[in-house]
Amino acid sequence: AAGGTADRLREEAEALDGARARLASGEPNAALARLGDYDRRFAGGSLHEEALLLRIEALVRLQDRSAAHALGTRFLATYPTSVHAGRVAQLLRDSPEDKTP
C-alpha cells in the first residue's frame, strides 16, 4: 500500500508541476486547464491545498480578482494553518479586489 501511496503522490506532484510550468510560462488559462484535470483525477488529493494556491495564482494573473479573492478567502478560512496560507494572503494583498461597479 505504501508503494501505491507514493506512486499516487508522485502523480499528483507531476500534475501540479505541469500547472506550475504553465504559470511560469505566462499561460494562466492553460494552468487552470491543468488544475481542472488535477481536480478530476485527484479529488481530495494530498496536494489539494497546493492546487488551490496555484488556482488562486492563475486567477490573479488573469486579473479575475473577484474569483481570486473569493477562493483565497475560502482557502484562508478553511486552511488557516496551511503552509500555503502566507502565500495566499500575499497574493490577495498584492491584487486588491476591484470594488467598482
Side-chain angles (χ1 to χ4, degrees):
T5 301
D7 288 344
R8 180 175 169 90
L9 188 58
R10 184 173 31 260
E11 289 174 19
E12 283 189 61
E14 288 171 358
L16 293 183
D17 286 346
R20 193 176 296 103
R22 294 294 173 247
L23 276 175
S25 65
E27 301 174 76
N29 282 316
L32 288 173
R34 295 270 178 131
L35 291 166
D37 291 342
Y38 171 87
D39 290 343
R40 284 185 288 283
R41 287 182 62 201
F42 304 106
S46 298
L47 301 177
H48 176 70
E49 292 174 34
E50 185 172 352
L52 288 173
L53 167 65
L54 292 170
R55 183 176 298 281
I56 294 163
E57 199 166 333
L59 290 169
V60 166
R61 291 193 186 184
L62 287 170
Q63 297 184 9
D64 188 346
R65 291 182 181 103
S66 179
H69 275 262
L71 186 56
T73 299
R74 278 195 314 269
F75 181 98
L76 294 173
T78 305
Y79 308 106
T81 60
S82 170
V83 297
H84 302 296
R87 177 71 178 133
V88 169
Q90 185 67 50
L91 284 167
L92 297 182
R93 280 192 302 273
D94 290 348
S95 179
E97 188 173 14
D98 185 10
K99 303 276 188 187
T100 57

